[in-house]
Amino acid sequence: MIVHEHFDVNDQGHLTIGGVDAVDLAKTYGTPAYILDENVIRQQCRIYREAAKAHFGADALPLYASKALCFTEMYRIAADEGMGVDCVSGGELYTARKAGFPAERIYFHGNNKTDRDIADAMDMGVGTFVVDNAEELAAVSAEACRRGITQRILLRITPGIDPHTHRAIVTGNVDSKFGNAIATGQAMQIVKASLAAEGVSLAGLHCHIGSQIFDIEPFADAAAIMVAFLADIQKECGVVLSELNLGGGLGVRYTEHDRQIDYAAAIGDIAAIVKAQCKQHAIPLPRIILEPGRSLVAAAGATLYTVGSVKEIPEFRNYVSVDGGMPDNPRYALYQSRYTALIANRASEPATYRATLAGRCCESGDLLGEDMDIQKPVRGDVLAVLVTGAYNYAMASNYNRLPRPPVILLRDGKARIAVRRETFEDLTDHDQ
Ligand SMILES: *Cc1c(COP(=O)(O)O)cnc(C)c1O
C-alpha cells in the first residue's frame, strides 16, 4: 500500500492501481493520462450514503459536488450509487442531463448564476436552486413566475467559521464572495425576502465552510450556528425550514503526513452535534444534505507521465521534467498542494532521489511539487502522481496548446476510456 490501499507494487516492481499494472496502462493509453479506480469512487459514495442514513435518517442525502471531477460517466456513477449532485454551471448541468442524471436530485449552486443558467436549469427541471444573493433571488423568482412554476430553493448562508485550511479554499467566513452572513443580518434579510417572494418555495439553508479540512470542530461549529439560525427563523418568521445542507470539505490523504479520515465516524460526530443542537433549540431534526466532492474522488485517481529531462543543478536542486504539468494539474501552482509521486516502473526501489517535479510549460511556476522523494529517474520512466482524482481533470486547461489527457476508468481490474485524449484537431476545432 502506498498512501491508499488500491495503490500497491507487484512482483515486477511496478505500481499497481486497483490491481492493474500502471506501466501497462501507460503503454496502452499513452501519457499523460488520468487513471481512476471506479471501485474506490463507488466505495466512498457508499460510505457517505450509509453513514448519512445511519446517523441522520432515511431521508438524508449526500450530493456529489461534481466540480471536483466532471464528465458524463461520472454522473452515471453518481446516479447509480443513489447520490444527488451539486452542479455549479450551465456546462455541468448540461453534462448531468446528457448522462441522464435525475434532475430532481440536482442542487444548482454558484455565486453568479446567469439568466441563461437559470432558464436552462428550469428547462431541465432542476430540483433545487441554492440561491446565493438578493439579486439572484429576484431573478429566480421572476423566471419562475414567468413560467408559472414554483422553484424549490435553499439559501446559501455564511456561518462565519474559519476552518484552518488554505486561504483560497475558505468559503464560510463573513468576508466571502459566497452567501449571506448571519452576523451582518443579511442572512435573516434574505430569508424574509425569500418567504415573501413569488414563484419560490424556501425549503431550507445551505452552508459550505471550505475544503481539505481535517478537524471536525469547524463543521461542528458551523452546524451549531446553522441550527441556532433555524431556531431564530422559527422565532422571527414562524416557519420551520425543513432542510439543512451542511456542504462538503472533508479532507483527503495526499501524502504519508496526512491523516486518514474515517468518514463514517466523522459523519457520526457531526450528526451527534446537529441532533444535540436541535434538541437544545427545540426544533425538529431537519432533512440533512451532505455535499462532498474531493473525498469521493481524490484518492481514486493517479496521473501517469513520462519522464523527460533530469537536470541536476549542483548545490541547488534536481529538476525532473514530465510530459504534462500545470495544464493537467494546476494545484501546486495555485495552492502549493502536496502530492506523493513515484517511478511506476521501479516502484520497489528506495525513494532516495529528491526532485522538483516540473511540467513542460513555459512558466517557472509550472511545478507539480518540490522536495519530492522518488526513485532515481531516467528519461523514459513512467512517473505517477497519486491522489489526483479531485480538482485535476476538472481544472485542466490547454495552456501551451497541450491537449488534455484522457480519463481511464478501472473497474474490477478492467480499464475503459471515459474521456478520450484530446487531439491537435480538437485544439483547432473552435478556431474560425
Ligand atoms: C466545492 C464545494 C463542495 C465540495 O467541497 P469538497 O472540499 O470537494 O468536498 C461542496 N459544496 C460547495 C458549495 C462547494 O463549492
Side-chain angles (χ1 to χ4, degrees), residues 48 63-68 86 88 109-110 130 156 169 171 178 206-213 219 245-252 290-297 390-391:
Y48 267 95
L63 315 179
Y64 167 50
S66 62
K67 73 175 190 280
D86 144 8
V88 296
H109 269 283
V130 183
R156 181 150 183 171
I169 51 178
T171 56
F178 299 105
H206 166 277
C207 69
H208 171 71
I209 56 174
S211 199
Q212 187 60 358
I213 302 166
F219 290 104
N245 181 329
L246 294 171
L250 280 173
V252 160
L290 303 172
E291 217 167 47
R294 186 191 308 275
S295 54
L296 292 183
V297 295
Y391 305 112

Side-chain angles (χ1 to χ4, degrees), residues 224-351:
I225 290 167
M226 295 299 285
V227 170
F229 186 53
L230 283 173
D232 284 347
I233 292 169
Q234 188 182 9
K235 268 188 228 114
E236 267 200 46
C237 312
V239 293
V240 181
L241 299 181
S242 62
E243 190 167 296
L244 179 58
N245 181 329
L246 294 171
L250 280 173
V252 160
R253 184 167 202 241
Y254 284 99
T255 73
E256 306 284 347
H257 303 292
D258 297 325
R259 206 154 46 77
Q260 177 60 55
I261 293 184
D262 178 339
Y263 297 100
I267 291 164
D269 291 347
I270 295 167
I273 286 146
V274 172
K275 286 177 184 167
Q277 288 293 320
C278 288
K279 202 164 172 195
Q280 192 189 323
H281 292 281
I283 60 166
L285 178 67
R287 177 191 193 213
I288 297 293
I289 306 291
L290 303 172
E291 217 167 47
R294 186 191 308 275
S295 54
L296 292 183
V297 295
T303 310
L304 303 181
Y305 302 95
T306 300
V307 173
S309 71
V310 179
K311 189 171 292 177
E312 300 184 349
I313 308 178
E315 291 174 41
F316 288 91
R317 51 164 119 192
N318 306 322
Y319 282 98
V320 176
S321 292
V322 296
D323 55 351
M326 64 191 289
D328 63 76
N329 183 358
R331 292 190 66 250
Y332 188 77
L334 277 173
Y335 332 111
Q336 296 78 53
S337 312
R338 306 288 305 181
Y339 284 98
T340 302
L342 64 146
I343 299 297
N345 48 306
R346 280 184 283 104
S348 53
E349 291 180 9

Side-chain angles (χ1 to χ4, degrees), residues 82-95:
M83 306 286 287
V85 295
D86 144 8
C87 291
V88 296
S89 69
E92 287 187 0
L93 289 173
Y94 176 82
T95 311

Side-chain angles (χ1 to χ4, degrees), residues 129-157:
F129 278 53
V130 183
V131 170
D132 184 90
N133 55 70
E135 289 81 4
E136 189 175 295
L137 174 64
V140 171
S141 162
E143 184 62 24
C145 288
R146 206 168 299 137
R147 291 163 184 254
I149 62 168
T150 301
Q151 179 62 55
R152 182 180 198 269
I153 64 166
L154 300 182
L155 292 172
R156 181 150 183 171
I157 303 298

